[in-house]
């Protein structure tokens, strides 16, 4: 079953927050599960892969610094002109939001957590099924 575009509607609230530019739902393995209207499908595919890498690095950093039982709650990247916020959105999925550099980080973080809480069960990316070749 394809999840392509299935979750786009969920992102409309978060992109209404001042300074939020883009929002994506991604699977742990870097596939785009949903995107705001401001993101093309090609860009969503590239950004999703980058975010999956950042999420993986965050998990490994937590494991190395705190221990293997540690959970990464958020990854934030600051760059010239803005920020990228990445939070877990259920098992195997994450919510990524980019903003301008004029962001109220607390407001964005709160809105992201509310979105995840409201629809977290819908954001789970099930494991891929193994296929066998004859």
């Amino acid at each position: 079953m394809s999840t392509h575009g299935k979750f786009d509607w969920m992102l409309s609230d978060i992109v209404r927050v001042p300074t939020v530019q883009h929002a994506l739902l991604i699977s742990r393995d870097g596939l785009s599960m949903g995107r705001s209207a401001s993101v093309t499908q090609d860009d969503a595919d590239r950004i999703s892969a980058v975010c999956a890498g950042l999420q993986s690095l965050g998990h490994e950093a937590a494991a190395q610094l705190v221990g293997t039982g540690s959970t990464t709650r958020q990854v934030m990247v600051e760059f010239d002109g803005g920020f990228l916020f990445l939070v877990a959105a259920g098992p195997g999925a994450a919510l990524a939001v980019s903003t301008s550099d004029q962001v109220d980080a607390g407001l964005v973080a709160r809105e992201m957590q509310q979105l995840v809480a409201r629809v977290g069960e819908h954001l789970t990316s099930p494991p891929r099924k193994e296929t066998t070749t004859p």
Side-chain angles (χ1 to χ4, degrees), residues 4-5 16-19 21 23 28 31 36 42-43 50 57 61-63 65 69 74 79 91 94 106 117 125-126:
H4 175 72
R16 290 187 186 120
V17 175
T19 76
Q21 297 168 336
R28 179 171 291 150
L31 299 176
S36 60
D42 286 343
D43 286 342
V50 169
L57 288 170
L65 297 169
Q74 176 177 291
F79 49 88
S125 175

Side-chain angles (χ1 to χ4, degrees), residues 16-32:
R16 290 187 186 120
V17 175
T19 76
V20 168
Q21 297 168 336
H22 311 296
L24 293 139
L25 293 173
I26 66 165
S27 68
R28 179 171 291 150
D29 56 357
L31 299 176
S32 172

Side-chain angles (χ1 to χ4, degrees), residues 80-119:
D80 290 339
F83 293 86
L84 172 67
F85 298 89
L86 184 63
V87 298
L95 172 62
V97 172
S98 69
T99 70
S100 78
D101 58 0
Q102 302 300 310
V103 67
D104 177 343
L107 174 62
V108 171
R110 186 182 81 228
E111 292 294 325
M112 290 176 74
Q113 290 302 326
Q114 287 178 350
L115 175 60
V116 167
R118 276 195 324 258
V119 293

